[in-house]
Amino acid sequence: MPTFGIRFGAQVLAWIAILTVLADSVAAANGMTLSKQPREALAIPRWLYLATGGATIGASALLASFVTDRAFIYSLHSRSVSLPRMPAVRRWIGVLGQTLAVVGLCLMVFLGYTGPQLPSASLTVLVTFVGVRAGLPVVAYLVGNPWPALNPWRAITTILPTGFYEYPDSFDRWPAIAGILTLVWVEVIFPVSTVPRVLATAILGYSLYTIAGAVVFGSDAWFEHADPITVLFRFYGAVAPIQLRDGSVEIILPGSDLAQSDVVTDSSDIAFIIALIWELTYSGFITTTAGAQTITTVVESPLSAVMAATPLAVLAYTTLLVIGYVVFLAAYWYAGTIARRFTDTYVTSRSIALRLAPPLLAIAAGYHLAHYAGLLVSLSPALTMAVVSPLSPPANPLVLAPPNWFTALSIAFVLVGHLLAIWEAHASAYDLFPSRLAAIRSQYPFVLVMIGYTIVSLWLLSLPGATPPYLG
Amino acid sequence: MSTVQSAVPPGDSPAVCQYCDEPFPTEDRLTLHKGLNHWPDLTEAERTDFHDARANERDALGSFRLRALACIVAVYFVFLFLYAIYAI
Ligand SMILES: [Zn+2]
């Protein structure tokens, strides 16, 4: 059959093209934050590369709609293996982990002020950025949430008097959203990833803030609702295959808890999840040439007559952070409204948005892995050495250069995150609507939003890296 | 299901589930809901209704699948041509 031959040949060609793009388009993320080396040009036009990514998501959503067997979806999502409870072992792991974390926290602050001021040799910087910013979230979404066994601030509050005021219900998780955006802002504006002394001060400030909060409102309420780091790990942990349910440890299919209704219970939870996605997009954007150009344009605009360059740049970074977040949030919220109109249902758009929000965590996890895998690999030897000998770290630690194909993985991570999100949203919608056609139709606006997110993040991955201008 | 909230626009006459008071815009959706969520409580007539609604839904899904397949094939060929023209 000659037509078969042509089609097969064309298909092979297309795959070679795709793989070439994957292999060539991105180079390693390098340095402590997300600053990148200049990258090679694309082998295909950028719009085609972006369209391919978007179409992959759209086509997968259509493919997912072929799975219409409720029983099959249910059985995949309720598959779980319970591990032995071993409460004593778990308690000891918690005590050990928290003790180590408290000692580590004190050591990090101490060494931040007294230790070497070179970031790649500083325990403070390495543990914060390679350990907590890059490493622990990876553990949280690929294995299980490790934070409850580590949280040093919670451990400290157990010896303090706590709970003078009732945590106001109306606050929900909004303080955590303000907290996470503030942390990202501090990470961008201040040289926390390059000057250990500044980072130690930031850690000290955060410790005071979160311990004060826990003392005032009670440890349980504070860390469940308001502490941004604890909330972040709780959400990333929802993607993981290992889950803690009613005190027993269960192994489930990765991500299958995202179709549950108890992961997201309030609008502020949606806002937090969108903040996770936006946070990674934002720090990706400002470390590319396009991001640097945007800031430079603002600073060199007529506005520079009114303000000095640095405050204007800070203002530009801040405005971008806030506006971008509002746009991402509005896009998702609007999708909920459209979904309600599409499906002709009485279920409120808020309920639809709440129910379809947890799958977005898979997207956030994919972004996080895409952005931080390179950093994690290249700096883990330095982290190991700094942990092994915190007081006398080697002056010139080993920094690995991840191979080129490693960054092709970034694109794969972004896509896999979205595919998992599509699948879990499909399952959620089936749970929400009695009519399967309505369930499928409710997905359209959310799939469009996901295609938008994918294109934005694939675009970021294809841009050459740059150091954010006008900052320290 | 406790977290799901519904709002009925004024002037609509919803089909309300007699087991859990949830409103639905059409009888069909209500029938499907009752079959999925209250199966043990249903009368024989309601079960027959459910099976009919299921059959209708299956037909609709079948035609939806055909259209989805057509979309996927179209996307596939569009990209095949785009790659043939623009790649390398
Ligand atoms: Zn009912």
Side-chain angles (χ1 to χ4, degrees):
Chain A
M1 279 227 298
T3 46
F4 173 75
I6 292 166
R7 242 176 48 191
F8 184 72
Q11 208 165 7
V12 170
L13 211 68
W15 275 111
I16 289 173
I18 292 171
L19 290 178
T20 324
V21 180
L22 289 180
D24 287 349
S25 59
V26 250
N30 229 330
M32 194 63 64
T33 45
L34 295 170
S35 311
K36 291 157 195 156
Q37 299 291 314
R39 285 174 285 219
E40 288 171 43
L42 293 174
I44 57 163
R46 183 175 282 142
W47 64 264
L48 185 52
Y49 151 76
L50 298 179
T52 310
T56 311
I57 304 305
S60 330
L62 284 176
L63 275 178
S65 69
F66 277 71
V67 183
T68 52
D69 186 355
R70 279 181 188 275
F72 172 69
I73 296 172
Y74 181 77
S75 79
L76 277 186
H77 282 83
S78 53
R79 200 168 284 180
S80 74
V81 181
S82 294
L83 295 183
R85 280 170 171 261
M86 301 185 293
V89 174
R90 285 213 332 260
R91 200 171 57 241
W92 279 109
I93 289 178
V95 168
L96 194 71
Q98 291 197 328
T99 312
L100 279 176
V102 172
V103 173
L105 182 71
C106 297
L107 203 60
M108 277 163 69
V109 172
F110 173 71
L111 285 176
Y113 288 115
T114 62
Q117 292 297 303
L118 182 73
S120 59
S122 162
L123 176 87
T124 316
V125 172
L126 288 170
V127 170
T128 306
F129 286 96
V130 185
V132 179
R133 180 85 162 104
L136 283 184
V138 175
V139 175
Y141 53 69
L142 291 185
V143 184
N145 183 6
W147 194 245
L150 291 173
N151 193 346
W153 297 293
R154 185 154 198 172
I156 292 171
T157 58
T158 52
I159 56 163
L160 296 173
T162 58
F164 295 97
Y165 290 96
E166 184 117 345
Y167 184 83
D169 276 342
S170 57
F171 279 16
D172 288 317
R173 262 182 268 273
W174 295 108
I177 296 153
I180 197 86
L181 292 174
T182 309
L183 286 179
V184 174
W185 184 78
V186 168
E187 188 191 18
V188 170
I189 302 295
F190 294 96
V192 282
S193 64
T194 45
V195 185
R197 204 173 288 128
V198 176
L199 179 59
T201 310
I203 295 175
L204 216 52
Y206 182 82
S207 305
L208 286 178
Y209 162 74
T210 207
I211 290 172
V215 165
V216 172
F217 294 114
S219 211
D220 287 338
W222 178 260
F223 286 105
E224 201 190 322
H225 295 102
D227 179 56
I229 297 181
T230 309
V231 174
L232 175 139
F233 281 112
R234 182 185 91 96
F235 276 120
Y236 274 136
V239 186
I242 296 181
Q243 295 290 335
L244 207 59
R245 279 186 197 142
D246 312 322
S248 75
V249 183
E250 290 189 12
I251 300 182
I252 57 169
L253 287 175
S256 58
D257 248 20
L258 300 179
Q260 303 291 326
S261 57
D262 54 357
V263 178
V264 164
T265 51
D266 183 79
S267 314
S268 62
D269 292 347
I270 301 179
F272 193 90
I273 294 174
I274 302 287
L276 288 181
I277 292 180
W278 169 242
E279 174 267 298
L280 293 160
T281 313
Y282 175 75
S283 23
F285 176 68
I286 58 168
T287 51
T288 62
T289 47
Q293 227 155 38
T294 310
I295 300 296
T296 314
T297 314
V298 173
V299 173
E300 285 170 2
S301 71
L303 279 173
S304 59
V306 194
M307 269 172 113
T310 311
L312 189 55
V314 168
L315 190 67
Y317 281 112
T318 313
T319 315
L320 185 65
L321 176 68
V322 174
I323 289 183
Y325 176 57
V326 171
V327 168
F328 263 48
L329 197 57
Y332 182 78
W333 203 257
Y334 189 58
T337 318
I338 299 281
R340 179 167 200 244
R341 216 171 298 156
F342 258 16
T343 35
D344 181 31
T345 176
Y346 288 149
V347 178
T348 58
S349 52
R350 183 175 176 273
S351 283
I352 299 176
L354 283 176
R355 206 51 209 279
L356 295 175
L360 295 175
L361 284 168
I363 297 178
Y367 284 8
H368 185 274
L369 201 54
H371 281 106
Y372 282 103
L375 178 83
L376 199 56
V377 169
S378 65
L379 287 170
S380 49
L383 174 67
T384 315
M385 278 187 271
V387 168
V388 170
S389 56
L391 297 174
S392 55
N396 202 358
L398 175 67
V399 176
L400 297 178
N404 263 348
W405 57 262
F406 201 85
T407 51
L409 278 179
S410 301
I411 294 174
F413 292 147
V414 168
L415 289 179
V416 168
H418 277 92
L419 296 184
L420 186 57
I422 293 257
W423 170 244
E424 293 306 327
H426 182 66
S428 287
Y430 264 48
D431 212 23
L432 190 57
F433 297 106
S435 154
R436 290 180 283 181
L437 269 175
I440 291 170
R441 231 173 260 147
S442 75
Q443 298 294 290
Y444 294 160
F446 292 100
V447 170
L448 278 181
V449 169
M450 286 187 199
I451 290 176
Y453 289 169
T454 317
I455 290 178
V456 169
S457 64
L458 289 182
W459 175 64
L460 291 179
L461 286 177
S462 77
L463 288 173
T467 312
Y470 302 107
L471 296 174
Chain B
M1 294 301 275
S2 58
T3 53
V4 176
Q5 293 163 343
S6 306
V8 182
D12 264 27
S13 49
V16 179
C17 172
Q18 72 261 42
Y19 301 100
C20 67
D21 291 333
E22 212 181 312
F24 292 91
T26 61
E27 278 303 326
D28 265 11
R29 300 249 183 120
L30 173 62
T31 315
L32 286 170
H33 160 80
K34 283 196 288 192
L36 290 167
N37 294 54
H38 312 288
W39 182 255
D41 306 327
L42 295 193
T43 62
E44 207 48 53
E46 283 175 319
R47 291 186 181 189
T48 320
D49 283 350
F50 174 67
H51 283 300
D52 291 348
R54 273 294 256 216
N56 288 339
E57 190 194 27
R58 210 170 296 133
D59 293 345
L61 275 173
S63 80
F64 169 82
R65 269 192 209 143
L66 266 180
R67 276 174 287 149
L69 187 66
C71 282
I72 291 176
V73 171
V75 167
Y76 174 78
F77 277 102
V78 165
F79 273 85
L80 206 61
F81 283 119
L82 286 179
Y83 270 90
I85 297 166
Y86 291 102
I88 312 160

